[in-house]
Amino acid sequence: MKNTEKDNISLLVETARLYYEHGFTQQEIADKFGISRPGVSRLLQKAQDVGIVQIKVVDPKDSGSRLEKEIIDKYGLKKVIVVPAHNNPATIKARLGKATVVFLDQINHEKMILGISWGTTMQEVARQLKKQPIKNSIVVQLNGGISRAEYDTHASEIAKSIGEKYEAVPYLLPLPAVVDRSDLKTAIISDRNINRTLQFAKEAKIAVFTIGSFSHDSVLVKADYFDKKEVDDLINQGAVGDICSRILNRDGEIASLGLDQRTIGIELNDLKAKEYAIAVAGGKDKLSAIQAGLRGKWFNCLITDEWIAKKLLEE
């Protein structure tokens, strides 16, 4: 490390210690170092960004915020985490990813089987997860995700990345989320290796998955799993979202039984039976899909943003 880098780190550490451990005000630190008070504020923020300062909020009763408690009571959930809302979808996903990582740190355990879905929110979870070996653990992909077009869902990469960080054995589903015929699905899942992966998905006590909205712009449609007429028919049948590629209507029911019989991945009844079925979704476009998931009672934990949380309480 160059001397200038060492000096910068030393300045960050000293500034953080003076402020957090010794009770100096930002102005007192500014006077001590001969810099401006905003300069001290930037140093403190930098100390957080690089991990020198790690802020942890401890709730003695572990009851969460009032908003979280109200959603738990209204929908009968086990855990709700609400992150601040933002106009930028990427910022919301980053906040959701961070909150999910913190929650996983609280509940993961030795000999864990962790089920993982895919999507851009799950990519953020994988990106923010820190390396933390968990003995004798397994990470299993919950649903197929290989595209029939150039739109990549990164399904296998997400599961592998999380597996590497936990030093867990990854079990993947290198398959489409939806196939053309139900008999083709039957043949595929009868394969010994595929069947074993699906069995691990069923046995997992913890599952983390996102909730997708359903429209002509949704991920499953862009991945070329449906033609325009199929999408129109599903929307006419009330389709508003998906969980692990299972398309739901507004009431939280499977929108099309025929389509469901062609979908490869965990069954929703197995998902809802888990000790921790953790839905991670936020952003205004996800409201109807999240509401559908709640009506179907397909998950018992929800990590979402403040805008969604308030809308859920208004319903």
Side-chain angles (χ1 to χ4, degrees), residues 39-67:
V40 173
S41 179
R42 287 192 292 271
L43 288 172
L44 292 170
Q45 183 60 55
K46 180 67 174 177
Q48 286 189 46
D49 293 341
V50 301
I52 291 172
V53 173
Q54 299 180 16
I55 297 175
K56 181 179 181 181
V57 178
V58 178
D59 181 354
K61 297 180 180 179
D62 195 25
S63 58
S65 70
R66 177 190 58 80
L67 195 57

Side-chain angles (χ1 to χ4, degrees), residues 211-228:
I211 302 177
S213 57
F214 190 81
S215 69
H216 286 280
D217 293 323
S218 70
V219 172
L220 286 172
V221 175
K222 287 182 177 180
D224 198 28
Y225 287 123
F226 312 102
D227 60 31
K228 184 179 183 302

Side-chain angles (χ1 to χ4, degrees), residues 118 145-153 176-180 214-231 234 245 247 259 262:
W118 46 262
I146 288 181
S147 171
R148 295 180 297 186
E150 293 180 357
Y151 190 87
D152 194 351
T153 58
V178 182
V179 294
D180 292 331
F214 190 81
S215 69
H216 286 280
D217 293 323
S218 70
V219 172
L220 286 172
V221 175
K222 287 182 177 180
D224 198 28
Y225 287 123
F226 312 102
D227 60 31
K228 184 179 183 302
K229 183 179 184 306
E230 286 178 303
V231 177
L234 285 166
S245 306
I247 308 298
L259 171 61
R262 297 189 284 117

